[in-house]
Structure formats: C-alpha cells, structure tokens
Amino acid sequence: MPELKRLHAGRAPAVLAFELANRTYFAASVSDRGDDFFDQFTDRYHASLAEQEAGICAFYVLVAEDGSVLGRFNLYDLKEGTARLGYRVAERVAGRGVATATVRELCRMATAVHGLRTLRAATSHDNAASQRVLVKAGFVPVGPATATDLGGKSGTWHQRDLQPWTQPQQEGHQGC
C-alpha cells in the first residue's frame, strides 16, 4: 500500500527518478520544469529541505512498497493557518483515484500536523484531471488564477476550509 511520507535527504534519488520518468507526461498538463530544474536538482532539493525545516513549506512524497515515488504532494507558504497545495502523480497511477485519496489524506494532515485551516490550489483550465481531484477532495472554485500563478497558463483557484481533525473516540470511552 502506498504511504505518504515527509520529504527527507535520503529520498533525493527516488524523487529525481520520478521527475525524470514523468517529465513528458507532466508537461502535457502543467508547465515543464525546464532543463535548469534537472541540472540544479541537488541544490533545489536541499533548498526545499531547508524551507521545510524553517516551517515555510511541508513536502511529502507518496512512496510505493518498492520505495519508488508515485507522487509529490506539497504545502507551500504555510502562514496564518493557510497554505497552497501543489501535487503531481506518476503517469502509471493516474486515473486510479490515487491523487484524490492522497490529497484527502494531506488535508487531514494539514490540520492535524500543521495546524492549517485553509488550503488553496490553482489549476489550469486545460488540466481537467486536477480540477476533478480537487473537487472530489472537497475544494471549491473561488476565482481566477493568472498566468503568473500557473507558470504561463490561466486557470482557477480552488479552496478548501479544513475542519479540525480529532481522533475518533472509541465506543464506551469516557475520556479523561
């Protein structure tokens, strides 16, 4: 069963392999990261880890049983109870509900682990799959996203207000 795990230094080779294997697939629906991303991958990866350590962002990967990365799920600009969500899943698991299930799990974690109350995500108009994922995960459209928001494409911002996550009580448990 795939597991959502926090990004750490040891995952760099698997993340790079994921990005390279899916580069063409991703470029069909989102702006290509460009050659510089891959040429400077190690430096960018360490910079991301530093941002995570500083509490600015939280980066997660969906890891298969064999250790390969099936997706990246990121929370950017954590401040005042809000963050931006970004994600991408491998072509080999696309269309199987993996992104929707993982975005839902990240929403739960956003509240339980990071204390967030609101998530926002932008999708381009031509990325219908991502729009479906967000709607199925409880996001609602809230306004236009500009080309600067989406790497050169226009689209829509979606938002989800999160409920505080609490551990369900066991039947008959009276609490403390």
Side-chain angles (χ1 to χ4, degrees):
M1 197 68 157
E3 189 176 347
L4 192 60
K5 297 186 178 188
R6 194 82 180 251
L7 194 67
H8 63 71
R11 288 205 207 291
V15 171
L16 180 58
F18 163 80
E19 291 287 353
L20 288 168
N22 291 284
R23 184 176 183 182
T24 302
Y25 170 68
F26 294 147
S29 58
V30 295
S31 298
D32 183 58
R33 293 193 187 275
D35 292 336
D36 284 348
F37 174 84
F38 296 98
D39 293 343
Q40 300 170 9
F41 179 81
T42 301
D43 291 340
R44 289 176 185 268
Y45 193 86
H46 290 296
S48 294
L49 292 176
E51 285 183 318
Q52 181 170 265
E53 184 67 28
I56 298 167
C57 300
F59 302 108
Y60 292 88
V61 288
L62 185 64
V63 181
E65 291 176 10
D66 67 1
S68 65
V69 172
L70 299 175
R72 295 183 70 177
F73 295 83
N74 303 318
L75 299 172
Y76 299 98
D77 303 327
L78 282 76
K79 60 184 170 200
E80 299 176 10
T82 65
R84 288 184 302 111
L85 166 68
Y87 60 91
R88 49 183 56 203
V89 297
E91 183 175 19
R92 69 184 173 122
V93 298
R96 299 182 186 174
V98 171
T100 301
T102 309
V103 167
R104 286 177 178 151
E105 173 64 9
L106 188 58
C107 288
R108 185 197 67 76
M109 292 173 69
T111 300
V113 176
H114 303 288
L116 298 174
R117 296 181 309 275
T118 305
L119 292 181
R120 292 175 50 90
T123 61
S124 65
H125 292 303
D126 59 350
N127 193 345
S130 188
Q131 293 168 31
R132 281 191 303 275
V133 165
L134 291 173
V135 170
K136 287 180 180 180
F139 286 75
V140 295
V142 292
T146 66
T148 56
D149 296 325
L150 290 166
K153 299 181 180 192
S154 62
T156 304
W157 277 103
H158 293 75
Q159 182 170 306
R160 178 171 171 185
D161 294 325
L162 305 170
Q163 300 297 316
W165 185 84
T166 57
Q167 180 70 37
Q169 289 192 3
Q170 295 176 346
E171 192 172 311
H173 179 70
Q174 299 299 317
C176 297

